[in-house]
Amino acid sequence: LRGSGRLQAWHRGWDGGPLQLARFLSRELGCPLLAVTVSRLLVEANRSPTNRRIWSDFTKDLPREERKQILESWWRAHRQQVEDAVAGAIARGQRVVHVAVHSFTPELDGEVRNADIGLLYDSRRKQEAAFSRDWAAALRGIDPALRVRLNYPYAGAADGLTTWMRRRHPQSRYIGIELEINHALVGTQRWPRLQRQTGESLRGFIS
């Protein structure tokens, strides 16, 4: 990744905030945490191997064997952890609510993103849609000023880890939601409050 120093400090290389929020939610709710700590400049953990966007400008032209080694060393381990955790819980008769925490840049290609929180889901899965609507309502109930939007700023059914998991489990057993936080809020005075509000809003759905 020589020459990527500027990008590592930018959203393309560093998804600042989600890991801190995920750790907070794990502690507050007593739920397991499975996290990625490698930069997407090496490999994008939230993309499938056949998606060309899994590689950055620094890795897309590497020899095939080197890219295969990166997948095995950095991508597959996390994916397998999630698959094993979900499959194990389902085998024990549990229903899994998988919250994948991300952040989004407040402005992209000149467009200002008009949201504080986005909840991404597959609208074809009725239980996921209902869960997301109820969660959004809970967030707004705690803080009416929160700008919460559904399937924004991305489509919830696009290629990603939750989409990968939906192909493996029915919606009666698995609900996959991507929690997107506006990166402009990370590290501000609102940030600690937003973490608490997110945990409080989600607590009522966890039993």
Side-chain angles (χ1 to χ4, degrees):
L1 301 182
R2 186 178 294 117
S4 67
R6 183 180 63 85
L7 292 179
Q8 289 183 36
W10 188 42
H11 195 264
R12 275 189 61 192
W14 177 66
D15 201 10
L19 182 56
Q20 184 181 4
L21 175 56
R23 284 173 171 158
F24 177 85
L25 295 176
S26 177
R27 291 193 305 268
E28 290 296 303
L29 303 175
C31 296
L33 170 64
L34 302 173
V36 171
T37 56
V38 63
S39 172
R40 62 170 62 92
L41 294 178
L42 181 67
V43 63
E44 170 57 85
N46 201 36
R47 296 289 178 262
S48 299
T50 54
N51 188 330
R52 62 184 179 84
R53 294 179 62 193
I54 195 172
W55 304 110
S56 73
D57 290 341
F58 296 91
T59 53
K60 66 181 181 180
D61 295 324
L62 288 174
R64 181 177 178 180
E65 284 304 310
E66 288 190 34
R67 285 185 280 120
K68 181 179 178 181
Q69 183 178 357
I70 290 173
L71 285 177
E72 290 299 323
S73 299
W74 301 106
W75 178 90
R76 197 170 305 282
H78 174 69
R79 189 123 329 191
Q80 193 63 55
Q81 278 186 317
V82 175
E83 289 183 0
D84 291 347
V86 171
I90 290 176
R92 295 190 295 272
Q94 300 173 339
R95 184 180 74 155
V96 174
V97 176
H98 173 202
V99 178
V101 187
H102 306 275
S103 71
F104 61 90
T105 184
E107 182 177 340
L108 184 65
D109 298 330
E111 176 189 353
V112 176
R113 267 75 177 272
N114 184 27
D116 298 317
I117 293 175
L119 301 177
L120 313 186
Y121 61 95
D122 189 336
S123 59
R124 295 167 296 186
R125 292 167 73 100
K126 293 182 179 179
Q127 293 189 31
E128 273 189 13
F131 186 97
S132 299
R133 289 193 298 268
D134 290 345
W135 190 5
L139 282 162
R140 296 184 186 113
I142 292 170
D143 185 352
L146 273 178
R147 300 175 299 167
V148 184
R149 299 185 61 175
L150 301 177
N151 276 339
Y152 180 90
Y154 310 108
D159 179 41
L161 178 52
T162 53
T163 302
W164 177 281
M165 297 302 300
R166 290 178 193 125
R167 299 192 188 107
R168 288 154 176 76
H169 303 287
Q171 61 175 315
S172 60
R173 296 283 93 191
Y174 174 84
I175 288 178
I177 308 294
E178 292 184 85
L179 170 62
E180 293 276 355
I181 302 294
N182 192 323
H183 190 255
L185 299 173
V186 177
T188 67
Q189 290 184 341
R190 291 182 60 190
W191 179 232
R193 183 171 77 250
L194 182 63
Q195 293 181 72
R196 293 193 299 270
Q197 291 170 336
T198 305
E200 181 182 347
S201 67
L202 192 54
R203 190 184 306 279
F205 301 98
I206 305 297
S207 61

